[in-house]
Amino acid sequence: IVPKATEVVKISLSAYQAGELRMPDVLNAQRSLLRAMLGRQAASRQLTMAWIEMEGFLLSNGLNPS
């Protein structure tokens, strides 16, 4: 998703410079790219947290053994 969104931003900027698009269209493309990047980051974080939990490295009850 991110590579495609990046390409859309590049195309949008070129079209804007050629007078074929308005600035709000470019901003929408950039917003979509940012959302895709944030989504990828969130997914990466979830994957890392799941791996840590599976490996038993996450303190689930803090420092109080029970």
Side-chain angles (χ1 to χ4, degrees):
I1 293 174
V2 171
K4 186 174 183 176
T6 301
E7 186 63 24
V8 169
V9 168
K10 289 178 184 178
I11 292 169
S12 296
L13 283 171
S14 294
Y16 172 74
Q17 290 171 346
E20 298 169 359
L21 281 181
R22 299 175 304 130
M23 182 52 72
D25 299 319
V26 175
L27 294 174
N28 284 335
Q30 290 176 333
R31 185 179 303 116
S32 295
L33 172 59
L34 180 59
R35 285 182 181 153
M37 293 170 74
L38 290 172
R40 180 175 64 182
Q41 179 63 29
S44 177
R45 181 184 183 281
Q46 288 176 340
L47 178 64
T48 301
M49 293 302 292
W51 179 81
I52 289 170
E53 189 173 335
M54 286 188 333
E55 292 295 321
F57 296 127
L58 189 63
L59 292 174
S60 57
N61 291 325
L63 298 175
N64 298 324
S66 1

